[in-house]
Amino acid sequence: MTSMTLPAKGRFTIGKQFMDHLGVKAGEKVLVTKLPNHTLKIEPEQSKEDFFDLFGSMKTDIRLTDEELEKAIRQARIERGTRGLE
C-alpha cells in the first residue's frame, strides 16, 4: 500500500510502478470507478483502436476491388434472405 498527499486541486499522480502494473503509458486513459466504502477502482481503458491493431494479422491471397466486395456482400445477403441498407 502506498500513501499519497493530495495537493489543493485534489489531483494526484500515480507512480511508474502503478502504471506498469496497469500496463498503461503516459497519455493513455484509465477508468476510475467509485466503489462502496470510499474506494476507487482504477483500470486501463479498453482502446477502441484495438480493432485496427489487427490490420494485416490475417494473411490471405484474396484480393477484391470495392465493386467485387460489394457484389459479394449483396449476393451473401440474397442467399441469407436479408436486405441491408441500400
Side-chain angles (χ1 to χ4, degrees), residues 16-85:
K16 184 179 179 330
Q17 66 185 6
F18 296 115
M19 291 175 63
D20 290 346
H21 181 74
L22 290 171
V24 296
K25 297 177 184 128
E28 294 182 346
K29 294 186 177 187
V30 295
L31 298 174
V32 180
T33 308
K34 292 191 295 186
L35 300 176
N37 300 322
H38 307 286
T39 303
L40 297 175
K41 176 182 176 184
I42 303 173
E43 59 188 327
E45 181 179 73
Q46 295 298 322
S47 173
K48 294 181 174 123
E49 297 173 2
D50 288 345
F51 172 79
F52 296 105
D53 291 341
L54 297 174
F55 181 77
S57 64
M58 295 181 65
K59 304 299 179 196
T60 180
D61 293 332
I62 299 172
R63 300 286 183 251
L64 297 175
T65 64
D66 288 346
E67 293 81 19
E68 291 170 327
L69 181 58
E70 289 172 9
K71 181 179 177 183
I73 291 170
R74 279 194 302 274
Q75 185 62 37
R77 288 178 177 154
I78 292 168
E79 291 172 6
R80 291 191 181 115
T82 60
R83 292 181 49 113
L85 299 175

